[in-house]
Amino acid sequence: MSTRIETLEFQAEARQLLQLMVHSIYSDKDIFLRELISNASDALDKLRLASLVDKDLQVDTSDLHIAIEVDREQRTLTVRDNGIGMSRDDVVQLIGTIAKSGTAEMLRKAKESADAAASRELIGQFGVGFYSTFMVADTVTLLTRRAGASGGTRWESSGEGTYVIADVDDAPPGTAVTLQLKPADTEDHLFDYTSEQKIREIVKRYSDFIAWPIRMATDGTATAGTATEGTETAGAATTGVQTLNSMKALWARPRDEVDEAEYHELYRHLSHDWTDPLEIIHMKGEGLFEYEALLFIPSHAPLDLFAQDGRRGVQLYVKRVFIMDDCQALMPNYLRFVKGVVDAHDLSLNISREILQQDRQIQLVRRRLVKKVLSTVRHLQTDDAERYRTFWKEFGPAVKEGLLDDVDNQEAILEIVSVASTRDPEQTTTLREYVDRMKDGQDDIYYLTGESRLMAEKSPHMEAFQARGYEVLILTDPVDEVWVERVARFDGRPLRSIAKGQVDLATADEQEGAEPEREQQKKDFAELLSWLALTLQEQVKEVRLSSRLTTSPACLVGDTYDMTPTLEKMYRAMGQNVPHPKRILELNPTHPLVSGLRKAHEQDGNSDVLGETAELLYGLALLAEGGELTDPSRFTRILADRLANTL
């Protein structure tokens, strides 16, 4: 007898998704069965794990399986499992709402797009497969009972915006999803979801690797390789309950026995990504600790790659028993985009997540997996430039995080780093390629960080390097500001910011020949430099002549170990109250503005006009590097007045 019956509304985004499923995604109806089977498999995994961890949980795990039941006359299809089940709260939370960031935006894009692929991606990207049942059903009924609970829950909806949920006393353990199928579009059994052949085809295509038996009562012929309950041979004409899937994990099979399509289907199941992976890594560890691993490098970055609660991709199994879905101990955060499965042979099944983090065997597997992923990317870099460029475009910013976190693999990561440079506006370069092209006598690897390539290329700091033909790396990812400071060297050569410290690219002979002229400039500009340092003392800590400028009047530089303005801005955005270091104002003694200011200072001393000119000079240097003025209105007023006086 049912009690506590409620009619509730779907959350707004869930209603939109239901409508999209029903009206927009007609070409991929088969997905619904794959998703229901995947959900059932997850429920069985969780029950098996719960029974191992909680010895007091009274559950029967002797025959865990998935059953598909069809009633052709009533046109119903049921997917049933005897897994972990759900509570009433679980049902409301998991089915009545979508708690996934970005869903609304994805819905909008899918509705605006006429491309079927964009709609297909919705299912895979957000893992909302349960809603796909409304593509084929007029009504969906879910009956479930949580393991260890005495009563169950019944949920039903026609997908029109509301659902009915009720307590049920006699629900069997596990979950059963029953679809009241829509009328068949055609009499062709290949499109009828009450057809045994159609169900076999979908299970074989999408769910053959599921570790649990998928059973169905049949009245036809068992196909070769399909087990029939209660019979000793397969392939004979028989009726009864048959197991539709092989249950052989792909990672446990030799690579030459697995079709590429099978790998792709497993990848789609693991990642909910409808595109094929960029690279497949199939490896096996032997010796004292055995394991198999099947890893995938996606062909594009997930939307939540940089979200704090973004999904990791590596699942942990022990002897093909599911342990956890998001095993952070197996893959470092900077490789969080890697999807796949690791099946260990000798781990304790009741191990907790906290203990797992410290397990020496897991740490050994982690080191091997990381080295294999990095070496695979390295091979892409040397053997398949196009695929490597795709990889780096999608995942480069995440990989560079490893330069901060993974000291053991820092050199390997540096070898695969690819960045923009002044050599080619269209192509990036590796650090190794940069070193191979360095000029004779060049000791440092020059770089400039900034918010965009355009601003870096136009920066005054570039002038002397461009004039002398020195290549400069352009680093614009936020993480670049940090790793270049932490790494400091590549191949024994210092990484040096062209916006810090003194710069003099002249040869020894040139320096010797120019020394008299420099000494004279220092004497000529000494008074101006002292006056500017005093006038701008709130903004800068020093004013000096520059050897890095050729066309600009001035630029701002930091001391060798100062924090860059961009890094300072990043820390402040994260709520950290970091000190604001004053910088050095460098002047180009050959620029008419600077030489004119020197002459004016010699004549007028310390006039208000000269003070305003000093402010303008500092403001121009700040703006040239993309900085922000503290008082933009004052700067524009002074500039407007000076321009007006020239007319």
Side-chain angles (χ1 to χ4, degrees):
M1 181 177 179
S2 300
T3 58
R4 199 164 55 124
I5 302 174
E6 294 180 283
T7 299
L8 304 174
E9 289 191 359
F10 284 104
Q11 178 242 17
E13 290 177 359
R15 291 200 301 271
Q16 296 175 41
L17 182 56
L18 287 168
Q19 292 302 309
L20 185 62
M21 288 291 179
V22 173
H23 299 296
S24 300
I25 313 177
Y26 291 111
S27 60
D28 297 301
K29 291 181 179 180
D30 294 357
I31 289 173
F32 86 91
L33 187 54
R34 182 198 72 179
E35 295 297 323
L36 290 182
I37 291 173
S38 294
N39 291 344
S41 177
D42 289 344
L44 295 172
D45 289 336
K46 291 174 181 176
L47 181 65
R48 179 65 177 270
L49 180 60
S51 69
L52 293 168
V53 174
D54 185 359
K55 300 301 182 183
D56 296 328
L57 185 64
Q58 299 298 314
V59 293
D60 181 7
T61 60
S62 60
D63 184 29
L64 298 180
H65 65 278
I66 301 165
I68 299 177
E69 303 166 2
V70 173
D71 186 327
R72 293 184 180 177
E73 292 185 1
Q74 298 297 320
R75 286 197 58 75
T76 63
L77 184 149
T78 299
V79 177
R80 186 186 306 277
D81 68 74
N82 53 349
I84 193 71
M86 291 182 284
S87 66
R88 184 186 182 104
D89 289 343
D90 291 337
V91 173
V92 173
Q93 179 64 30
L94 296 175
I95 299 177
T97 64
I98 303 176
K100 190 71 174 179
S101 62
T103 304
E105 177 66 11
M106 191 64 187
L107 282 168
R108 183 187 64 77
K109 290 181 179 179
K111 285 193 286 186
E112 291 176 355
S113 174
D115 183 4
S119 297
R120 287 199 303 270
E121 186 179 88
L122 181 66
I123 296 177
Q125 191 69 39
F126 294 99
V128 289
F130 179 81
Y131 295 94
S132 65
T133 55
F134 289 98
M135 292 191 294
V136 300
D138 287 327
T139 304
V140 178
T141 303
L142 180 144
L143 185 64
T144 185
R145 176 157 69 92
R146 181 81 179 181
S150 58
T153 302
R154 185 175 186 273
W155 178 98
E156 184 171 290
S157 177
S158 59
E160 296 298 328
T162 63
Y163 59 90
V164 176
I165 190 167
D167 295 336
V168 178
D169 294 332
D170 57 352
T175 300
V177 180
T178 299
L179 313 184
Q180 181 64 57
L181 296 169
K182 297 177 185 290
D185 295 333
T186 172
E187 294 182 0
D188 190 339
H189 66 277
L190 293 177
F191 298 93
D192 184 1
Y193 295 111
T194 65
S195 162
E196 176 183 328
Q197 183 175 345
K198 178 62 174 176
I199 292 172
R200 284 183 184 278
E201 182 263 322
I202 297 174
V203 171
K204 180 65 178 176
R205 181 181 179 189
Y206 291 116
S207 307
D208 192 52
F209 60 86
I210 293 291
W212 306 105
I214 302 171
R215 299 172 183 165
M216 183 173 68
T218 65
D219 56 8
T221 301
T223 58
T226 304
T228 304
E229 301 296 322
T231 67
E232 296 182 358
T233 61
T238 184
T239 60
V241 177
Q242 294 183 359
T243 298
L244 305 183
N245 60 321
S246 70
M247 294 180 290
K248 189 157 186 178
L250 294 186
W251 55 88
R253 292 158 57 181
R255 180 155 189 169
D256 57 3
E257 294 182 8
V258 183
D259 293 334
E260 200 80 357
E262 293 180 278
Y263 281 131
H264 291 176
E265 291 303 331
L266 176 58
Y267 168 73
R268 290 169 184 169
H269 171 73
L270 295 173
S271 66
H272 302 296
D273 177 9
W274 207 247
T275 59
D276 292 338
L278 184 70
E279 187 66 18
I280 300 168
I281 302 172
H282 198 159
M283 58 186 294
K284 183 175 183 178
E286 298 179 334
L288 295 177
F289 182 67
E290 296 185 1
Y291 65 92
E292 289 98 18
L294 183 53
L295 305 178
F296 301 93
I297 298 176
S299 56
H300 64 88
L303 297 178
D304 60 359
L305 180 62
F306 294 102
Q308 289 187 349
D309 59 348
R311 290 183 65 238
R312 302 278 189 101
V314 178
Q315 297 180 349
L316 174 64
Y317 283 71
V318 174
K319 296 178 181 176
R320 293 176 57 189
V321 175
F322 174 80
I323 299 298
M324 65 179 66
D325 194 25
D326 179 11
C327 189
Q328 298 184 21
L330 281 172
M331 197 65 65
N333 190 54
Y334 71 92
L335 296 179
R336 56 190 174 274
F337 52 85
V338 175
K339 309 296 181 184
V341 169
V342 174
D343 191 352
H345 291 194
D346 301 313
L347 280 178
S348 171
L349 287 175
N350 62 355
I351 197 164
S352 71
R353 286 178 183 262
E354 290 75 22
I355 298 173
L356 186 65
Q357 297 287 348
Q358 306 300 324
D359 189 274
R360 292 181 60 187
Q361 294 174 326
I362 284 292
Q363 292 302 314
L364 174 63
V365 175
R366 174 189 172 114
R367 286 195 294 270
R368 292 177 178 174
L369 296 180
V370 171
K371 289 185 182 298
K372 185 64 175 179
V373 171
L374 295 179
S375 66
T376 299
V377 176
R378 179 73 168 140
H379 285 306
L380 283 179
Q381 186 184 57
T382 56
D383 301 337
D384 194 332
E386 188 61 34
R387 286 204 298 158
Y388 166 75
R389 281 193 289 269
T390 298
F391 169 84
W392 194 256
K393 177 184 176 184
E394 298 293 328
F395 304 110
V399 173
K400 285 185 287 190
E401 295 173 12
L403 295 170
L404 308 175
D405 305 330
D406 191 352
V407 176
D408 292 339
N409 291 295
Q410 193 176 84
E411 290 299 323
I413 299 172
L414 284 172
E415 289 288 353
I416 63 173
V417 165
S418 184
V419 297
S421 87
T422 54
R423 178 175 180 269
D424 188 334
E426 303 297 329
Q427 298 292 339
T428 58
T429 183
T430 66
L431 298 181
R432 179 66 57 192
E433 291 168 339
Y434 178 96
V435 168
D436 291 342
R437 292 192 298 266
M438 285 173 60
K439 287 177 171 290
D440 292 340
Q442 180 183 346
D443 297 322
D444 300 331
I445 298 172
Y446 296 118
Y447 71 87
L448 180 63
T449 59
E451 295 184 2
S452 71
R453 176 171 187 147
L454 179 62
M455 292 190 67
E457 288 178 331
K458 302 299 183 183
S459 170
H461 301 107
M462 283 283 190
E463 293 175 3
F465 294 86
Q466 292 171 332
R468 289 185 171 268
Y470 281 91
E471 183 177 358
V472 178
L473 302 178
I474 301 174
L475 309 178
T476 57
D477 288 330
V479 70
D480 291 335
E481 293 281 351
V482 186
W483 76 258
V484 289
E485 301 287 346
R486 187 78 57 85
V487 171
R489 289 177 175 270
F490 172 73
D491 195 30
R493 301 172 185 271
L495 281 83
R496 183 177 178 189
S497 170
I498 66 171
K500 289 184 178 183
Q502 294 275 15
V503 168
D504 194 342
L505 301 179
T507 64
D509 291 341
E510 289 173 333
Q511 290 176 359
E512 184 177 353
E515 190 62 29
E517 182 181 357
R518 290 184 178 179
E519 290 301 320
Q520 185 60 46
Q521 284 180 338
K522 288 180 181 179
K523 293 178 182 179
D524 293 342
F525 283 86
E527 289 188 10
L528 176 65
L529 297 180
S530 298
W531 174 77
L532 283 173
L534 181 63
T535 303
L536 300 173
Q537 60 182 327
E538 295 298 322
Q539 290 81 26
V540 301
K541 62 181 176 183
E542 182 185 347
V543 182
R544 68 191 183 199
L545 297 181
S546 178
S547 58
R548 77 182 82 215
L549 298 174
T550 60
T551 58
S552 297
C555 69
L556 289 168
V557 301
D559 272 340
T560 303
Y561 301 106
D562 278 354
M563 182 184 300
T564 65
T566 304
L567 186 57
E568 179 189 347
K569 189 184 300 183
M570 287 171 52
Y571 281 129
R572 292 188 185 279
M574 294 186 291
Q576 298 189 32
N577 188 21
V578 295
H580 175 66
K582 292 183 181 180
R583 302 172 71 204
I584 300 167
L585 179 65
E586 287 194 352
L587 304 182
N588 179 0
T590 64
H591 194 280
L593 176 57
V594 176
S595 58
L597 182 59
R598 178 176 70 86
K599 293 177 182 178
H601 178 261
E602 290 174 351
Q603 295 172 0
D604 294 340
N606 191 18
S607 68
D608 290 341
V609 173
L610 284 178
E612 291 181 345
T613 304
E615 288 186 55
L616 290 177
L617 188 64
Y618 170 77
L620 291 172
L622 185 62
L623 291 173
E625 66 174 14
E628 297 179 0
L629 297 167
T630 56
D631 191 349
S633 61
R634 175 175 171 80
F635 179 85
T636 54
R637 179 182 60 77
I638 294 173
L639 181 60
D641 289 345
R642 303 304 290 275
L643 290 174
N645 291 335
T646 65
L647 299 177

